[in-house]
Amino acid sequence: MGYPMKLETILSRLSENSSIKDQFGASHIPIYQTATFDLQKQSGERIYEYSRSENPTRNALEEIFALAEEGQAAVCTSTGVGAVSLLFDATLKAGDSVLAEIDCYGGTFRSLELLKEKFGIHVTYMDMTNYEAVEQFLKSHKVTLAIFESPTNPGLKILDIKRLAGLFHKYGALAAIDNSLATFASQKPLTLGVDFSLFSATKYISGHSATIAGAVVAKDKSWGKKLRFFSNAGGRAQSPFEAFLVSLGLPTLIYRMKAQEAAAKEIALYLETRKEIAKVVFPFLESHPQYELARRQMFICPGVITIETADDIVTKTLLSKTKLFGEKASFGSADSRIEQPMKISHASYTKEALNAIGITPNTIRLSIGLEHVDDLITDLASALD
């Protein structure tokens, strides 16, 4: 086009913004649902052999993800946890050291604990909003990989991505961020200095809760090659049909997230007025301790709210009496959800680890969907009343 396109335009015209060549001029990425390809019937730069290694549908989605994240290469995986594991496969060896944000996703925590047990990987968990403590640790410990989230899940802390990336690189560590909550619609971590942005595409990116998927995007082409090698060798690649399902959510991603942000903020403000709710955490509320950083770092606030109820009775009531909030895992879908992190997303955490990040039996995470906000507030009010 002769000028950089905005993300909305890129995501609205997927087939035109990837290298896929469809003889019929399909408006959307077509599915190449095949295991193998005939080598004698192909021409062009990219020759396909076996779908575990390369597939036109998956490659097209990877190109879109790399473009959206402003990275050099992307690899799609069959699950979000698969993306986490692929990152570890490509960057770590026995005896290496990992520094992780203490408030990390339960699947990441479980994977790191397995690495400690099986391969002698040294893992340290820290509150990465304490930048001075992080630097002191880096000065005295050789760290291979640092991994964090912003916003964190479920604490919804906001970490200064640029500052952390600078610290990690200063002391020779690779930097990776789990961008599942904010997504590339809200923030571009690679442009802020991290080496890898990974995410679960199960959530906001697909948006319809019909598939599970993940991806790792690398800032550097050489790391992209390594990620692709380990994906192929370990059989982590996403199937073409699942890649197609994920692609269906991309054209509406930004508009869905903006609508969910607006509804979430209204609901968060309402919950702050209720005596049954002891604490409300939403990064775009002025009461959030990192509000200014959140506003500066994110274009859109993900529609997730974490609350602490006043007591066990309120918790049980909200879980059992709301009608529009299904007690379901995950977030970022069209339907609203409610969960106790200690029961679902962070079930792999030990009691001590839960205490360390402040998750209690009365911690509840709300994922706001696309229902009318008045109906959602009425539903919450009916349960609380």
Side-chain angles (χ1 to χ4, degrees), residues 50-65:
Y50 193 60
S51 277
R52 171 168 49 79
S53 306
E54 302 280 349
N55 178 278
T57 306
R58 186 174 65 247
N59 289 153
L61 186 62
E62 289 168 342
E63 289 164 357
I64 293 296
F65 284 161

Side-chain angles (χ1 to χ4, degrees), residues 214-232:
V216 186
V217 186
K219 186 177 182 179
D220 184 82
K221 277 187 178 179
S222 63
W223 276 112
K225 290 178 181 178
K226 290 180 183 178
L227 288 165
R228 192 167 298 283
F229 171 82
F230 280 98
S231 175
N232 184 43

Side-chain angles (χ1 to χ4, degrees), residues 135 138-139 163-174:
E135 182 159 21
L138 291 168
K139 282 180 179 179
R163 184 173 180 179
L164 283 173
L167 276 177
F168 298 140
H169 290 158
K170 179 180 177 181
Y171 295 97
L174 291 166

Side-chain angles (χ1 to χ4, degrees), residues 27 41 49 51 57 63-64 73 87 118 121 139 148-149 161 184 215 222 289 291-292 363 373:
S27 296
K41 294 181 179 179
E49 175 189 345
S51 277
T57 306
E63 289 164 357
I64 293 296
L87 174 73
K118 291 187 70 176
I121 301 292
K139 282 180 179 179
F148 61 99
E149 301 173 38
I161 298 171
F184 47 73
S222 63
Y291 170 76
E292 296 294 338
T363 303
V373 65

Side-chain angles (χ1 to χ4, degrees), residues 36 48 53 97 126 154 167 179 193 210 219 252 293 301 316 319 331 349 353 370:
T36 57
Y48 293 94
S53 306
S97 179
M126 292 187 71
L167 276 177
N179 202 24
K219 186 177 182 179
T252 60
L293 176 60
C301 189
K316 291 175 182 177
L319 291 169
F331 55 82
Y349 269 60
L370 294 172

